[in-house]
């Protein structure tokens, strides 16, 4: 007779097999340890069937491992094949666009070099990576995961060289849109289409997309690799190194975009009475608001930065799209509060309401309350009001 003692700790990964059978440790009368198998419903498996079910469990584990190895093989081949396709695309970009555009007499005036200045270094680095990945495919299959991980760890510093291109990507597209007005450029674009090649914008976006794609492939490879396998740590490090490249490029692009936005505000808003292009200042949000200006509510273009809010208005000349500075307030922590604006507060304020009554609903308003001043803003909708108030609160 069996004396079964069920352990209190029934950890799923230790006691439950992959087919849902519960394995319970116990001891028989002579003290010999054994395992009993139970179904998910608690029905005990007869001992004569236990060996058969144990074999099924082992077979399942073998099949699962084989499937993971198959997927790892696919992912590594996918990494190599997509790297080859990427290199081919950059070579097509050079052949169909960079070379003929650079040979135009007005290439300098069109800023053609500004489009392609970083393409050659990127191409050289990825040709090297492509060759190494294909060399790995010639090795015995068990060496592939560790070799791929080691290759990408070594390549990570050179992959950062795409950062200057990614930082300037928006400016590059602006140049492309501008040169597309030139008839000779249009002819080059047409010749590329006749060769069944992609348009220039489709090629230019590829360096922005490639490294995130490598990160995703490495992430999938890691998921398919058993933690106990020796290559797991190497793959994990490779994924982290490539992810750091992605984060680095993204952070640099955000910094450059922020600098460009500050420059655009300086060009658009006239007569800002303080040093505006301060290092570290960045634009968080912008939009249309009614704002309190000299005792009146007027329509404004309002800009929210990480340290201040600035509102401006259009001039009287309809042909001039520049803005005139109206006011600003610094948003240092603890110096102000964001409060809802009620209809009663608006009527009791000293603000002169427009005679036309074409004013946005006051329930969509909010007040910035400083120590010695209150500034009322009114949004178009409740959703816009909530966005503004949340953005303002998050800046501090």
């Amino acid at each position: 007779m069996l004396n079964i003692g069920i352990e209190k700790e029934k950890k799923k990964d230790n006691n439950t097999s992959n087919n849902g059978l519960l394995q319970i440790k116990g001891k028989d009368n002579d003290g010999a340890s054994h395992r009993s198998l139970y179904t998910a419903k608690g029905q005990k498996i007869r001992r004569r069937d236990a060996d058969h079910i144990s074999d099924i469990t082992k077979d399942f584990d073998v099949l699962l491992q084989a499937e993971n190895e198959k997927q790892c093989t696919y992912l590594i081949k996918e990494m190599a094949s997509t790297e080859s396709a990427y290199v081919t695309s950059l070579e097509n970009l050079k052949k169909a666009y960079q070379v003929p555009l650079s040979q135009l007499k007005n290439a300098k005036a069109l800023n053609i070099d500004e489009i392609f200045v970083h393409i050659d270094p990127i191409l050289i680095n990825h040709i090297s990576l492509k060759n190494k990945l294909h060399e790995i495919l010639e090795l015995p299959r068990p060496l592939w995961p560790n070799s791929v991980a080691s290759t990408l760890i070594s390549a990570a510093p050179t992959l950062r060289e795409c950062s200057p291109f990614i930082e300037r990507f928006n400016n590059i597209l602006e140049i492309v849109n501008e040169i597309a007005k030139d008839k000779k450029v249009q002819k080059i674009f047409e010749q590329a289409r006749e060769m069944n090649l992609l348009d220039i914008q489709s090629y230019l976006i590829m360096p922005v997309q490639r490294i995130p794609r490598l990160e995703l492939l490495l992430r999938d490879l890691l998921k398919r690799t058993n933690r106990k396998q020796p290559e797991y740590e190497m793959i994990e490090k490779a994924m982290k190194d490539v992810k750091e490249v992605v984060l680095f490029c993204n952070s640099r692009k955000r910094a450059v975009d922020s600098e460009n936005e500050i420059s655009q505000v300086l060009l658009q808003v006239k007569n800002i009475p303080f040093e505006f292009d301060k290092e570290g200042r960045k634009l968080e949000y912008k939009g249309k608001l009614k704002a309190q200006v000299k005792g009146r509510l007027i329509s404004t273009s309002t800009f929210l930065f990480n340290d201040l809010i600035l509102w401006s208005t259009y001039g009287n000349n309809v042909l001039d799209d520049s803005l005139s500075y109206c006011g600003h307030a610094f948003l240092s922590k603890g110096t102000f509060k964001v409060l809802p604006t009620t209809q009663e507060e608006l009527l009791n304020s000293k603000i002169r309401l427009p005679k036309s009554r074409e004013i946005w609903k006051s329930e969509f308003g909010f007040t910035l309350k400083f120590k010695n001043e209150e500034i009322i803003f009114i949004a178009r909708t409740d959703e816009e009001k909530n966005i503004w108030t949340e953005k303002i609160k998050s800046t501090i």
Side-chain angles (χ1 to χ4, degrees):
M1 181 175 179
L2 293 175
N3 178 23
I4 297 177
I6 299 177
E7 294 183 345
K8 291 183 179 180
E9 291 185 8
K10 298 179 181 178
K11 294 183 180 178
K12 185 176 180 181
D13 56 340
N14 292 329
N15 296 334
T16 305
S17 64
N18 289 318
N19 58 1
L21 298 175
L22 183 64
Q23 301 179 20
I24 300 180
K25 294 180 181 178
K27 293 183 180 180
D28 53 24
N29 291 332
D30 60 3
S33 61
H34 69 276
R35 285 181 180 271
S36 296
L37 284 177
Y38 288 79
T39 67
K41 294 182 178 180
Q43 297 174 328
K44 184 178 178 181
I45 306 298
R46 290 177 300 180
R47 292 193 68 178
R48 68 180 179 222
D49 297 329
D51 291 339
H52 174 63
I53 292 174
S54 179
D55 290 339
I56 292 175
T57 302
K58 290 177 182 177
D59 290 343
F60 182 86
D61 291 339
V62 170
L63 288 172
L64 183 62
Q65 183 178 351
E67 177 62 22
N68 282 336
E69 288 181 1
K70 179 180 177 182
Q71 289 299 319
C72 287
T73 300
Y74 167 78
L75 289 166
I76 292 170
K77 287 183 176 180
E78 178 77 0
M79 208 174 293
S81 64
T82 54
E83 190 67 18
S84 294
Y86 175 55
V87 167
T88 299
S89 295
L90 291 185
E91 290 172 341
N92 287 338
L93 174 65
K94 281 179 63 67
K95 179 181 177 181
Y97 294 103
Q98 182 177 355
V99 173
L101 287 171
S102 299
Q103 292 173 347
L104 293 175
K105 292 182 179 180
N106 59 340
K108 188 174 181 179
L110 294 173
N111 294 318
I112 299 301
D113 287 345
E114 293 294 314
I115 301 173
F116 302 104
V117 65
H118 300 294
I119 294 298
D120 283 342
I122 293 173
L123 179 57
I124 291 169
N125 289 334
H126 282 274
I127 286 174
S128 175
L129 180 58
K130 178 203 77 170
N131 292 338
K132 289 175 182 177
L133 289 174
H134 281 276
E135 287 171 6
I136 289 170
L137 298 184
E138 301 298 322
L139 298 175
R141 168 61 185 81
L143 300 178
W144 285 13
N146 205 61
S147 300
V148 165
S150 178
T151 296
L152 287 168
I153 290 170
S154 300
T158 59
L159 293 178
R160 287 188 176 223
E161 293 182 16
C162 69
S163 178
F165 177 86
I166 295 173
E167 290 168 22
R168 297 184 57 257
F169 183 69
N170 292 342
N171 293 336
I172 289 171
L173 290 185
E174 289 177 4
I175 295 172
V176 170
N177 291 334
E178 190 63 30
I179 68 171
K181 301 172 185 177
D182 186 276
K183 290 184 178 180
K184 292 182 179 179
V185 172
Q186 291 172 2
K187 186 175 180 181
I188 293 171
F189 287 0
E190 181 60 33
Q191 289 171 347
R193 281 193 292 270
E194 291 173 357
M195 296 166 63
N196 292 322
L197 297 176
L198 300 175
D199 58 67
I200 188 171
Q201 291 92 337
S202 297
Y203 285 122
L204 290 172
I205 190 68
M206 290 181 182
V208 179
Q209 299 171 331
R210 181 55 192 164
I211 300 177
R213 176 74 183 278
L214 285 174
E215 183 202 345
L216 289 175
L217 289 170
L218 281 168
R219 190 180 297 277
D220 288 343
L221 184 62
L222 189 67
K223 287 179 182 178
R224 292 289 183 173
T225 305
N226 192 311
R227 286 179 176 271
K228 297 179 181 179
Q229 291 179 267
E231 60 265 30
Y232 184 89
E233 289 186 5
M234 284 288 286
I235 297 172
E236 186 176 40
K237 177 169 172 45
M239 188 198 74
K240 288 180 179 178
D241 285 1
V242 173
K243 183 178 181 178
E244 284 180 6
V245 176
V246 174
L247 294 174
F248 171 79
C249 292
N250 288 343
S251 65
R252 288 294 307 139
K253 187 176 189 305
R254 283 194 296 269
V256 171
D257 288 347
S258 179
E259 291 172 6
N260 291 338
E261 288 171 340
I262 294 292
S263 299
Q264 287 296 319
V265 174
L266 269 174
L267 289 172
Q268 193 176 12
V269 182
K270 307 300 181 184
N271 304 319
I272 298 177
F274 58 93
E275 185 181 355
F276 181 71
D277 52 345
K278 173 186 173 183
E279 185 176 354
R281 179 168 290 151
K282 60 180 180 179
L283 182 66
E284 301 287 352
Y285 197 61
K286 62 181 179 180
K288 305 289 186 182
L289 288 173
K290 296 283 187 182
Q292 174 184 352
V293 179
K294 294 180 180 179
R296 297 175 57 201
L297 279 176
I298 64 172
S299 298
T300 69
S301 288
T302 303
F303 302 87
L304 175 66
F305 300 89
N306 58 329
D307 63 339
L308 68 90
I309 186 168
L310 181 149
W311 52 100
S312 58
T313 186
Y314 288 101
N316 295 325
N317 188 348
V318 294
L319 299 178
D320 186 5
D321 61 354
S322 64
L323 297 164
S324 296
Y325 165 86
C326 289
H328 74 279
F330 287 101
L331 304 177
S332 55
K333 187 174 182 180
T335 62
F336 74 100
K337 294 180 180 179
V338 182
L339 304 173
T341 301
T342 65
Q343 180 74 32
E344 183 179 358
E345 288 172 337
L346 189 62
L347 293 173
N348 291 338
S349 70
K350 296 181 181 180
I351 295 177
R352 299 194 303 274
L353 300 178
K355 292 181 180 179
S356 64
R357 288 295 183 186
E358 293 177 359
I359 184 171
W360 298 329
K361 294 182 180 179
S362 61
E363 59 262 33
F364 301 152
F366 59 93
T367 301
L368 295 186
K369 187 173 183 179
F370 297 85
K371 189 173 183 180
N372 299 315
E373 184 182 14
E374 290 186 0
I375 306 171
I376 293 177
F377 294 94
I378 298 179
R380 293 176 184 270
T381 65
D382 189 54
E383 182 182 4
E384 283 187 17
K385 180 195 74 173
N386 292 334
I387 292 173
W388 274 101
T389 55
E390 289 303 316
K391 291 283 185 182
I392 291 169
K393 290 176 182 177
S394 67
T395 60
I396 56 168

